[in-house]
RNA sequence: CGGGGCGUGGCGCAGUCUGGUAGCGCACCUGCUUUGGGAGCAGGAUGUCGGAGGUUCGAAUCCUCUCGCCCCGACCA
């Protein structure tokens, strides 16, 4: 993509309303624009990141055996009356009346919707277990949206729902999601710590929140220091195996959200306990028959008996993750994208577009890289060098390739790593070879 | 929902107290010069001062109502 043609409205100054670094950088880097309180448009650069985050979430859900569906944003109030939550949910639920005076709502979550689907379609224990997920926009009419897309009213969320015959099966489903989440966040380079959490309005008795430690986090959390020294999960997970031993291993260190943590009962001595703030990027719940019973989601068991489905739900804040990634990956100059979610693999800077040799060298390299399947953002604008460097650092692509008169004369280009600032001059062929090897299409 | 703050050109702000016909920096347009870390000079364009009503000869400025946004707290799969 040529930057001269790209819609990338950068801001040189911090918008006054943005208080935390991810919000400031998302606005300055032209990723998002606010529409109204807690509601945002995603511009090309931001949407690219959102899609890449979504893709990783999807791949890991699929890998774990969950199946993707897509449920609507608008739901009938009737469904929520069945579970009893229509009145309980309060003003956070956006209620809408259609032209026929039917009560509708913009879904803040989808337990009722998915339970109704499964209830109507699955009648036998033979059809279990099932885990269905979708990635869909949600709306929660927060009293006070803030921090950009970190706590918006409208947000993109992956929510999965598991259906099992008994509690043991539900725990197996829970464990699968537990590891799918560890892998999902690890692939983004995030250390997300699973912490014991309250179940809140979802109900139930087992829940973990996946928390990224950050000063700008909204909630206070507590964990054993060992968590900070543990490598994030990188290895494969066999989802057909019994994951319980591995689950115990990965929960052996104490970690709890502020709601659950009780200093008097904490098993970890103070010198090994870390008190920090955290960003919740995912939460998993086991809640048994809380929805299946009132909604009549039952199957016939082996003996013909009626069995209420054992359920769990599993959420990942996809749009929030984009902000969380920035909170975890930035410096004074801007964003530093992990390669797995970067909007482009590298930025190609032509320092002298007016110079015929530089232009030819840059155009040629751009064509070669694009032809090799490397995603490149090519800054071919007439701007001063400093402005180009600043813009490229701000948007945070993992690598920068700089073409200027010096290198062109010597037959080299300069490669700069955004994260380390490390620079080296390379022959063009070597650069192309390295890029295609590091990031094969 | 309690408390506080802010709405003036795309962004950041001054001007409001003390009413007199809107200004600065950046960004934008044109030209020339520049070109390895947000260039310089010259010229230019851009505003229903959030909205409505009122007071006044005259309102960004005073009064009333209203809308929106932000911050702290409470709230929060």
């Amino acid at each position: 993509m040529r930057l001269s043609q790209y819609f990338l409205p950068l801001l040189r100054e911090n918008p006054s309303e943005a208080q935390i670094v991810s919000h400031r950088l998302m606005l300055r880097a032209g990723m998002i624009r606010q529409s109204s309180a807690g509601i945002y448009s995603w511009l090309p650069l931001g949407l690219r990141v959102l899609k890449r985050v979504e893709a990783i979430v999807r791949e890991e859900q699929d890998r774990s055996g969950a199946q993707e569906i897509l449920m609507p944003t608008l739901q009938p109030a009737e469904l929520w009356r069945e579970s009893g939550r229509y009145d309980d949910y309060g003003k956070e639920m956006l209620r809408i009346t259609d032209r026929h005076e039917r009560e509708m709502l913009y879904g803040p979550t989808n337990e009722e919707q998915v339970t109704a689907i499964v209830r109507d379609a699955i009648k036998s224990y033979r059809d279990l277990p099932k885990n269905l997920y979708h990635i869909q926009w949600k709306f929660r009419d927060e009293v006070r949206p803030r921090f950009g897309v970190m706590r918006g009213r409208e947000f993109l969320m992956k929510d999965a729902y598991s259906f099992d015959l008994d509690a043991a099966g539900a725990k197996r489903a829970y464990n699968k999601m537990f590891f799918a989440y560890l892998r999902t966040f690890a692939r983004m380079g995030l250390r997300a710590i699973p912490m014991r959490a309250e179940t809140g309005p979802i109900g139930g008795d087992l829940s973990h929140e996946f928390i990224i430690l950050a000063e700008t986090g909204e909630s206070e959390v507590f964990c054993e220091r060992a968590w900070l020294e543990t490598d994030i999960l990188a290895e494969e997970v066999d989802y057909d195996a019994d994951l319980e031993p591995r689950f115990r291993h990965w929960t052996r260190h104490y970690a709890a959200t502020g709601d659950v943590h009780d200093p008097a009962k904490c098993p970890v001595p103070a010198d090994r306990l870390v008190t920090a703030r955290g960003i919740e990027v995912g939460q998993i719940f086991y809640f048994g028959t809380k929805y299946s019973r009132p909604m009549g989601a039952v199957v016939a068991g082996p003996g013909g008996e009626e069995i209420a489905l054992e359920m769990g739900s599993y959420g990942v804040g996809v749009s929030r993750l984009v902000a969380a990634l920035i909170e975890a990956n930035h410096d004074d100059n801007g964003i530093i994208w992990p390669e797995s979610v970067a909007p482009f693999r590298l930025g190609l800077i032509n320092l002298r577009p007016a110079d015929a040799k530089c232009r030819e060298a840059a155009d040629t390299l751009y064509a070669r890289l694009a032809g090799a399947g490397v995603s490149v953002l090519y800054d071919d604008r007439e701007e001063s060098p400093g402005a180009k460097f600043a813009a490229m650092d701000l948007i945070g692509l993992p690598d920068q390739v700089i073409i200027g008169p010096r290198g062109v004369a010597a037959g080299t280009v300069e490669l700069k790593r955004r994260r380390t600032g490390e620079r080296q001059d390379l022959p063009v062929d070597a650069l192309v070879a390295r890029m295609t090897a590091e990031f094969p299409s």
Side-chain angles (χ1 to χ4, degrees):
Chain A
M1 176 59 65
R2 285 177 185 265
L3 188 45
S4 61
Q5 294 165 25
Y6 200 46
F7 182 58
L8 185 70
L10 302 177
L11 299 178
R12 184 159 175 174
E13 294 177 83
N14 286 321
S16 59
E17 75 270 17
Q19 296 298 310
I20 65 169
V21 65
S22 60
H23 191 195
R24 284 200 294 262
L25 289 173
M26 289 182 79
L27 289 167
R28 287 193 53 208
M31 295 176 66
I32 55 169
R33 285 295 183 265
Q34 181 167 333
S35 167
S36 56
I39 302 178
Y40 293 83
S41 296
W42 291 74
L43 307 188
L45 193 79
L47 184 60
R48 275 181 169 258
V49 178
L50 185 68
K51 295 268 186 200
R52 295 205 69 189
V53 169
E54 181 182 336
I56 291 175
V57 170
R58 174 177 291 115
E59 284 172 22
E60 294 303 326
Q61 290 294 293
D62 291 345
R63 194 191 298 264
S64 78
Q67 299 174 52
E68 186 170 12
I69 61 176
L70 184 58
M71 292 180 276
T73 55
L74 296 181
Q75 305 177 30
E78 273 312 300
L79 273 179
W80 287 65
R81 291 213 168 86
E82 287 188 39
S83 70
R85 282 208 293 181
Y86 191 68
D87 296 321
D88 293 349
Y89 215 92
K91 298 182 89 168
E92 243 188 50
M93 184 153 72
L94 179 64
R95 294 151 207 264
I96 301 166
T97 306
D98 74 9
R99 65 194 298 165
H100 302 296
E101 299 296 317
R102 288 198 186 100
E103 294 173 276
M104 310 283 289
L105 58 100
Y106 196 118
T109 176
N110 289 68
E111 278 83 6
E112 285 80 358
Q113 184 92 62
V114 74
T115 300
I117 292 170
V118 168
R119 167 185 68 191
D120 293 344
I122 292 189
K123 302 294 184 189
S124 161
Y125 75 97
R126 295 171 192 270
D127 295 325
L128 297 175
K130 285 286 177 290
N131 187 331
L132 304 175
Y133 76 97
H134 75 340
I135 300 173
Q136 177 64 289
W137 292 92
K138 306 291 190 292
F139 194 94
R140 289 180 199 170
D141 202 356
E142 300 273 354
V143 192
R144 183 150 101 85
R146 65 188 112 174
F147 304 147
V149 299
M150 189 76 82
R151 179 168 288 284
R153 292 194 291 171
E154 188 182 56
F155 56 97
L156 188 61
M157 183 176 185
K158 186 285 301 182
D159 38 327
Y161 304 91
S162 65
F163 300 86
D164 283 270
L165 194 63
D166 52 29
K171 184 57 168 55
R172 283 194 292 275
Y174 188 93
N175 288 348
K176 285 183 183 181
M177 280 294 120
F178 181 91
F179 283 103
Y181 278 29
L182 286 180
R183 280 188 54 90
T184 298
F185 302 126
R187 281 183 61 184
M188 298 174 196
L190 292 172
R191 177 188 302 283
I193 303 173
M195 302 193 177
R196 288 296 300 240
E198 276 199 344
T199 52
I202 294 287
D205 46 34
L206 177 61
S207 180
H208 284 87
E209 283 186 21
F210 290 77
I211 300 280
I212 292 164
L213 301 188
E215 286 174 16
T216 47
E218 287 194 89
S219 49
E220 189 170 44
V221 296
F222 304 85
C223 72
E224 209 167 332
R225 191 170 303 282
W227 265 116
L228 307 183
E229 291 138 18
T230 305
D231 286 337
I232 56 180
L233 180 75
E235 67 268 34
E236 291 289 319
V237 172
D238 177 3
Y239 288 103
D240 293 326
D242 177 10
L243 291 171
E244 188 60 23
R246 216 164 164 190
F247 172 82
R248 290 208 192 92
H249 177 78
W250 277 89
T251 52
R252 69 193 184 281
H253 301 308
Y254 179 80
T257 62
D259 292 339
V260 178
H261 180 72
D262 180 351
K265 294 180 185 165
C266 180
V268 181
D271 61 327
R272 277 173 37 213
L273 187 70
V274 175
T275 302
R277 301 198 67 81
I279 300 168
E280 180 200 336
V281 289
Q283 185 166 12
I284 58 179
F285 301 86
Y286 161 62
F287 49 75
T289 58
K290 178 178 161 75
Y291 297 92
S292 57
R293 267 196 205 290
M295 294 185 67
V298 298
V299 295
E305 71 279 23
E306 195 171 78
I307 301 170
L309 298 177
E310 289 279 333
M311 293 177 57
S313 73
Y314 316 89
V316 171
V318 176
S319 47
R320 174 183 285 183
L321 264 172
V322 177
L325 280 158
I326 295 173
E327 292 292 332
N329 298 282
H330 68 271
D331 63 16
D332 289 345
N333 293 327
I335 303 168
I336 306 173
W337 291 115
E339 285 183 27
S340 58
V341 298
F344 295 91
R345 175 66 181 80
L346 64 85
L348 174 61
I349 298 177
N350 182 2
L351 287 179
R352 291 273 192 98
D355 178 281
K357 285 180 179 160
C358 285
R359 177 168 284 275
E360 192 196 335
D363 282 355
T364 304
L365 180 56
Y366 173 56
R368 284 185 68 181
L369 289 168
V374 182
S375 69
V376 181
L377 184 62
Y378 173 19
D379 190 348
D380 57 341
R381 299 172 304 162
E382 289 281 358
E383 286 285 346
S384 70
K388 293 188 175 189
F389 291 138
M392 203 56 86
D393 284 351
L394 173 63
I395 65 176
L397 306 183
D399 288 320
Q400 299 172 11
V401 174
I402 299 155
I403 290 183
R406 280 189 339 218
V408 167
T412 62
V413 294
E414 179 179 334
L415 173 65
K416 176 189 161 189
R417 304 285 191 186
R418 174 66 179 86
R419 188 175 292 276
T420 62
E422 170 203 353
R423 296 161 186 272
Q424 63 182 122
D425 292 315
L426 294 170
V428 175
D429 288 342
L431 185 276
V432 173
R434 182 188 288 200
M435 281 301 142
T436 51
E438 281 186 11
F439 200 69
S441 57

